[in-house]
Amino acid sequence: MKRLNRIFNLVPTNRFFFGMALLIVLFVLSFFFSQLFYSAVLLSIFFCGLLGYEILRLFGLKKPIRVQRKVAEKISNGDKNPVQLLIQSTYNFPIQLKVIDELPFLLQIRNFSLEFQLNERERLTKTYEIKPLERGDYDFGNVITIAQTALGILARKQIHPLAQNTKSYPSFIQLKKYELIAATSQVQAYGIKKVRRIGQATEFEQIKDYVTGDDLKTINWKATAKRSQLMVNQYQEERSQNVYMLIDRGRVMKMPFDGLSLLDYAVNASLVLSSAILRKGDKAGLVSFAKFVDNKVPAERRAIHMQQILENLYNIDNKYQETDFGKLYTYVKTNVRQRSLLMIYTNFETRDGWQRQLKYLKGLAKSHLVVVIFFTNTELDKIAEKKANNLREIYDHAIAEKFAFEKRALAAELRKHGILTILTKPEDLTLNTLNKYLEIKSRGIL
């Protein structure tokens, strides 16, 4: 059986088939030109000798190529994640190596391979990147190596059993990126502002010396009289406020942009926003909804709360049902008693769909501060921006403009009812929601 396995691991190359074809042609010609027969026989013997030499070199060792794969147990959805292959040759001569890694089927990559040269007994690391576009389990298969010498007539295939599983979680790479940005001087370049409220908040922090730019309304006259210099009250943002991320996982969130669904964009943004909420001292909660309400995480600020939110975001998936905002309204009215900030991730493509949900949004806005987050259709925007050159393109341009105008009109009408809105491109969602939260905190309107 082992000998059979070795035979099946023998891979003929193009040079092998070229040599065989040449010999066949010579033997065919020898029927017409007899003087070629002996030359064909000698070449056949020489070719067989080369094959024997190749086999001895390639199969002289039991396991000449050693491979290890290093991939994280959790990979970040929608981001590029590194995968390392540690490769070592035990041959005492240089080889040309082809490495085929059996990638998870969810990546839909069927022709992935690496080709490079390995010197004698060389060890090196090859790194490539994968970009998952769905949350869930990603199963890597075996790694297959095909080695050939400089002669290149035959090659040896070796299968390395390296099957392993990894899970694609919401974009924690994006989370780290925004945490880093918020902690550096780059915050303004990205539009993020860490605002410390002074003078109009409800929580007193300290009395300090007056400096140019302080609000004159915050002057503490008693402290000023005692110190014989201007003193002002300093306030800080109110803490321990409830912020809920309400994620629509109905069919309207199935629409894909750049490979990711709108739901995945909302999940990634919610992860970043949750971290910002907890860092601000507020309580973060999570609810997903479609036909029913699920993935319920009460607004809390415990040490393990971020991990609980991450696990629930991982489990949110799309439903092909129409979203029932009535169920969401009932849940919030029943379970969220304290005035809270409700960040509702959803999407409206038509005015009819929006009008069916308006009464529920208005009902929520009576007791809570509601922010409705929905998306511009970037594909239609491209059509609207493109210059029309014929009647068909003029028609497409007009339809795209109509839909874009309706979206802007919906946002304006929601604001008339006291509901804050974010109309954003999918790729700008995280930044826009984070800025909206910081703006609400700085204005003290929660």
Side-chain angles (χ1 to χ4, degrees):
M1 182 62 71
K2 290 183 178 179
R3 289 182 179 178
L4 283 174
N5 287 338
R6 288 198 175 191
I7 292 172
F8 286 123
N9 288 335
L10 189 65
V11 181
T13 66
N14 291 335
R15 292 183 182 181
F16 171 83
F17 292 110
F18 178 78
M20 291 295 293
L22 180 61
L23 290 175
I24 291 170
V25 169
L26 285 175
F27 276 109
V28 170
L29 290 176
S30 67
F31 280 99
F32 304 99
F33 307 99
S34 58
Q35 62 270 27
L36 291 176
F37 178 74
Y38 293 105
S39 299
V41 170
L42 289 174
L43 283 174
S44 298
I45 294 171
F46 177 72
F47 188 69
C48 289
L50 288 179
L51 291 179
Y53 178 68
E54 281 279 77
I55 291 171
L56 287 174
R57 296 187 82 195
L58 289 171
F59 289 87
L61 300 173
K62 187 176 181 181
K63 293 183 179 179
I65 305 297
R66 297 170 185 172
V67 180
Q68 286 182 299
R69 184 200 296 118
K70 287 188 176 181
V71 59
E73 292 183 2
K74 296 179 181 180
I75 55 178
S76 180
N77 190 38
D79 299 308
K80 292 181 179 180
N81 299 265
V83 179
Q84 286 187 335
L85 292 175
L86 282 66
I87 304 162
Q88 181 181 9
S89 169
T90 58
Y91 284 120
N92 57 2
F93 52 85
I95 58 168
Q96 190 68 29
L97 192 67
K98 181 177 183 178
V99 180
I100 301 171
D101 197 354
E102 295 179 346
L103 300 179
F105 74 92
L106 286 174
L107 295 175
Q108 294 296 298
I109 300 174
R110 298 180 175 87
N111 57 351
F112 175 80
S113 64
L114 300 171
E115 295 186 36
F116 49 90
Q117 184 173 326
L118 269 178
N119 294 323
E120 55 183 273
R121 302 186 183 278
E122 184 181 4
R123 175 186 295 178
L124 56 76
T125 300
K126 288 289 182 179
T127 303
Y128 64 91
E129 294 178 330
I130 59 172
K131 185 179 180 181
L133 299 175
E134 296 180 39
R135 281 167 288 116
D137 289 347
Y138 282 69
D139 295 312
F140 286 83
N142 299 324
V143 174
I144 301 170
T145 57
I146 300 174
Q148 65 182 58
T149 66
L151 196 57
I153 300 176
L154 296 173
R156 177 177 177 177
K157 181 176 73 173
Q158 194 175 336
I159 300 175
H160 307 267
L162 296 174
Q164 66 184 110
N165 172 270
T166 184
K167 297 180 183 295
S168 175
Y169 274 76
S171 180
F172 50 82
I173 289 180
Q174 196 176 91
L175 170 62
K176 293 176 182 177
K177 167 189 167 185
Y178 281 104
E179 284 181 350
L180 179 63
I181 290 170
T184 65
S185 59
Q186 300 177 34
V187 292
Q188 293 182 350
Y190 283 85
I192 303 172
K193 296 181 181 179
K194 295 183 73 177
V195 182
R196 185 168 189 171
R197 295 177 58 207
I198 298 175
Q200 296 177 357
T202 56
E203 290 192 2
F204 174 79
E205 184 177 16
Q206 66 176 350
I207 299 173
K208 70 179 189 70
D209 294 338
Y210 172 84
V211 294
T212 304
D214 283 341
D215 191 346
L216 296 177
K217 295 178 182 178
T218 62
I219 294 177
N220 187 318
W221 294 107
K222 289 185 178 180
T224 297
K226 288 180 181 179
R227 296 285 301 274
S228 299
Q229 65 181 43
L230 285 175
M231 305 292 292
V232 295
N233 293 333
Q234 179 171 298
Y235 298 87
Q236 64 179 358
E237 295 170 348
E238 188 175 349
R239 294 172 177 264
S240 297
Q241 294 176 307
N242 291 342
V243 183
Y244 278 89
M245 289 150 290
L246 311 177
I247 302 177
D248 183 352
R249 61 191 189 107
R251 63 175 176 232
V252 295
M253 298 291 279
K254 186 68 176 174
M255 190 179 297
F257 288 94
D258 291 334
L260 286 179
S261 68
L262 294 181
L263 178 64
D264 284 314
Y265 281 106
V267 165
N268 290 343
S270 297
L271 182 64
V272 174
L273 185 58
S274 299
S275 176
I277 291 166
L278 296 174
R279 285 174 175 270
K280 280 284 189 180
D282 288 332
K283 299 176 183 178
L286 173 70
V287 172
S288 68
F289 62 100
K291 197 69 176 176
F292 303 99
V293 175
D294 47 21
N295 294 106
K296 307 162 191 173
V297 180
E300 294 179 355
R301 201 181 60 192
R302 296 179 299 163
I304 61 170
H305 196 56
M306 192 65 193
Q307 183 62 33
Q308 186 180 1
I309 289 174
L310 177 62
E311 293 298 333
N312 276 270
L313 287 172
Y314 171 77
N315 291 319
I316 293 176
D317 59 346
N318 268 116
K319 298 294 182 184
Y320 292 93
Q321 306 159 333
E322 185 170 352
T323 302
D324 188 347
F325 273 75
K327 293 283 177 61
L328 175 66
Y329 174 81
T330 303
Y331 173 81
V332 173
K333 280 293 183 183
T334 305
N335 296 279
V336 184
R337 303 285 183 168
Q338 182 181 342
R339 177 175 168 82
S340 306
L341 171 59
L342 308 180
M343 308 285 286
I344 303 177
Y345 296 88
T346 185
N347 196 34
F348 302 114
E349 287 297 330
T350 64
R351 178 171 287 275
D352 291 338
W354 166 78
Q355 286 178 337
R356 287 196 297 270
Q357 318 302 350
L358 179 59
K359 61 181 179 180
Y360 300 116
L361 296 174
K362 288 166 64 177
L364 292 174
K366 290 179 181 178
S367 305
H368 305 278
L369 180 61
V370 177
V371 180
V372 175
I373 305 157
F374 60 110
F375 301 87
T376 60
N377 192 320
T378 53
E379 297 301 319
L380 287 179
D381 288 345
K382 290 177 184 177
I383 296 174
E385 293 169 3
K386 185 179 177 182
K387 185 179 178 181
N389 296 316
N390 53 53
L391 186 61
R392 176 60 184 270
E393 290 181 358
I394 291 172
Y395 176 78
D396 292 341
H397 187 275
I399 294 297
E401 282 284 3
K402 175 181 176 292
F403 277 104
F405 175 78
E406 280 190 356
K407 290 260 187 177
R408 294 192 294 270
L410 294 181
E413 197 156 346
L414 283 171
R415 286 192 285 268
K416 288 181 182 178
H417 295 289
I419 300 170
L420 302 179
T421 61
I422 301 175
L423 179 58
T424 178
K425 295 179 180 178
E427 61 267 25
D428 297 332
L429 175 64
T430 300
L431 188 61
N432 289 336
T433 52
L434 186 56
N435 272 335
K436 178 60 74 174
Y437 167 69
L438 295 176
E439 177 192 341
I440 290 169
K441 292 294 291 181
S442 67
R443 290 170 58 192
I445 58 177
L446 177 54

